[in-house]
Amino acid sequence: MNYEQKLALLSLVQLNTVLVQQGLVPLDDKRSARDAVRRLIDNGSVEWDSVLNVQPQTIITGKTAIDDDLRDKVNTSNAKALDAVKNSEIALREISRISGDVRSNTAAIRDEFKTLAESLVSRVDSITKPDPARISNEITQQVNALFDSFREQVTPQQIKQVANALPSFELIPARDVFGADACRYDGVDFGDLPVAVWNDPEAPALVDDYIFNPAHLHQSLIALDDPLPDNVWLAGERGTGKSEFVTQVAARLRRRLYRINFDEALERADFIGGNSIESGSVVWKAGIVTQAIRHPGAIVLLDEIGFARAQSLAALHALCERSPHRAITISETGERIGVASHVAFFCADNSNGHGDSSGNFAGVREQNSAFIDRFSYTLYFDYLPQDDEINLIVNRTGITVDAARIIVGFANVAREKARAGLLTQPPSLRQLFAWARSVKKGLPVNTAFKNAIINKFPADCAVELVGVYTSHISESEFKLALTK
């Protein structure tokens, strides 16, 4: 990998760290930050090695309205002031949902915070020699004054509940989150890549034995490394782990996952929202996508997207656009709902969005090219390497390694026949799990094979699969393998 490629893999935090070390202002956009660092390298201000080995530091972007000679001292004080104001405003909005009495005061409180922010900036600008203690004291007094009225109406337990619900994250090296083996491939080691690990209590459950494709994981983490992330399309055969890949990325990053399973009958109102009748009145209820885009850090999985009708997906175009203005306007209410920070979209499809030419996936449609273009990267999923698949079957079902090897050997032959056009599709990993569980619990090998695999296929495929079973599996050897 050349220097230019390594530079492209640096995160926004690392790039801004280089800029700040050179006395420059950090940038909000990764491409601009990368270009600025490249110019520093070209003019000899920094060396390649120091850039590529830079340790990420917490960077607060944005400019303050003070003289350059006071920038360093004022930056720290002003950043604390702005962070306190921002966090207080978020807490107030959350608390307003708890108390109906508080809700009516939200607009006035926002105005007070705006006035407070303007007052603080004005005072900082007028300070000849910044006094951090004075600024901190001013913030404390102003925030306490704003919260006095809330302390009278909201209990400490309610305030604690809201505080725990506010999304936040910390940066942790990828190897500490996904394991060292999942961070290495083809001579590349991205274990030092800082990844944002959130604190969402509703994140999916973690599956310890899930096996990541390191290259796919690397690309996905790069896509997520931005408040305005890139969207990712996952393509591949059924049972290759596309949906579980997204689920386990979300589980390890502690991010909430919203999953929508599409079919040809799914309408816009089902996932965006629509009107309903409650107590004799018409009310608009948000669908799962509309709920998801309001939640910072959410990952939205559009599963089996190939079954969706193009006209139903038209509502998603504006949401999946990589733009700071991405939003949707609800026609029933006129409300404009913006997409929160760090919300990312993943699609899972048996095709790559261009329909099914194999005949294996009935009902899969070709998707609108404009919709596909809103997904920056397409990752193709294949079956696991043989040893990994054997170990996974052993871990999930408890059968012996020798018995699992027989099952995987059968599956690999069936997959080759599918590639040659002799089968419409091979048995899925889910079917192999079912077969293994049955024989583990005492069902005869042949009976378990019929119930888990043969009976699920059309007659022409069943004949071919029985042929593979007969020629590659000895039931006596299988029984013996179960006891080893």
Side-chain angles (χ1 to χ4, degrees), residues 141-152:
Q141 291 179 5
Q142 294 287 351
V143 172
N144 283 340
L146 288 172
F147 272 101
D148 280 344
S149 61
F150 288 97
R151 292 192 183 99
E152 298 174 0

Side-chain angles (χ1 to χ4, degrees), residues 19-65:
L19 295 179
V20 170
Q21 290 173 350
Q22 296 301 313
L24 299 178
V25 176
L27 301 174
D28 294 322
D29 177 72
K30 184 175 181 179
R31 177 175 294 178
S32 300
R34 186 176 65 243
D35 293 343
V37 171
R38 190 66 179 87
R39 288 194 294 272
L40 290 174
I41 295 172
D42 291 342
N43 63 30
S45 297
V46 294
E47 299 293 334
W48 274 107
D49 288 341
S50 66
V51 170
L52 298 179
N53 295 315
V54 68
Q55 296 300 312
Q57 302 175 5
T58 300
I59 303 298
I60 304 298
T61 60
K63 297 183 179 178
T64 60

Side-chain angles (χ1 to χ4, degrees), residues 208-441:
D208 290 329
D209 63 359
Y210 181 80
I211 300 172
F212 284 97
N213 179 311
H216 290 355
L217 177 61
H218 194 187
Q219 180 66 85
S220 297
L221 294 178
I222 289 174
L224 294 170
D225 182 32
D226 200 289
L228 184 59
D230 287 287
N231 300 321
V232 182
W233 192 290
L234 312 181
E237 296 284 344
R238 67 191 181 102
T240 51
K242 301 181 294 296
S243 301
E244 190 65 15
F245 173 84
V246 180
T247 302
Q248 291 309 308
V249 167
R252 284 160 174 78
L253 297 181
R254 302 299 300 156
R255 297 174 69 159
R256 188 170 303 192
L257 176 67
Y258 292 84
R259 179 176 177 178
I260 303 96
N261 287 87
F262 283 87
D263 59 51
E264 62 181 9
L266 198 68
E267 300 286 348
R268 175 186 181 277
D270 295 323
F271 56 91
I272 297 297
N275 287 331
S276 62
I277 304 296
E278 284 190 2
S279 302
S281 300
V282 177
V283 295
W284 186 82
K285 283 195 169 183
I288 187 169
V289 170
T290 311
Q291 297 173 43
I293 63 175
R294 288 169 160 164
H295 191 81
I299 293 179
V300 184
L301 173 58
L302 308 175
D303 209 1
E304 305 294 354
I305 196 74
F307 291 110
R309 292 175 294 174
Q311 58 268 36
S312 297
L313 295 181
L316 296 177
H317 284 214
L319 297 178
C320 294
E321 185 70 47
R322 193 174 187 274
S323 164
H325 310 295
R326 56 183 183 162
I328 186 171
T329 299
I330 306 302
S331 58
E332 293 90 340
T333 64
E335 180 186 8
R336 180 185 181 276
I337 302 174
V339 181
S341 173
H342 292 86
V343 172
F345 290 84
F346 282 75
C347 265
D349 183 30
N350 295 126
S351 73
N352 61 355
H354 298 292
D356 173 43
S357 58
S358 67
N360 293 347
F361 307 106
V364 171
R365 293 180 168 90
E366 183 174 0
Q367 297 301 317
N368 186 306
S369 60
F371 180 68
I372 298 174
D373 195 49
R374 282 162 167 78
F375 290 78
S376 303
Y377 310 111
T378 297
L379 309 180
Y380 184 80
F381 280 69
D382 204 347
Y383 298 103
L384 288 172
Q386 179 168 306
D387 288 344
D388 289 341
E389 193 167 24
I390 290 171
N391 290 334
L392 184 59
I393 292 175
V394 170
N395 291 337
R396 292 284 179 90
T397 67
I399 66 170
T400 65
V401 171
D402 289 339
R405 182 173 288 108
I406 293 173
I407 291 176
V408 173
F410 162 83
N412 286 335
V413 175
R415 290 163 185 165
E416 288 300 321
K417 287 187 175 291
R419 293 187 183 100
L422 299 177
L423 281 173
T424 56
Q425 56 186 341
S428 69
L429 184 57
R430 299 182 189 93
Q431 291 172 316
L432 301 184
F433 286 150
W435 184 11
R437 285 195 300 269
S438 293
V439 295
K440 167 68 176 176
K441 295 182 178 181

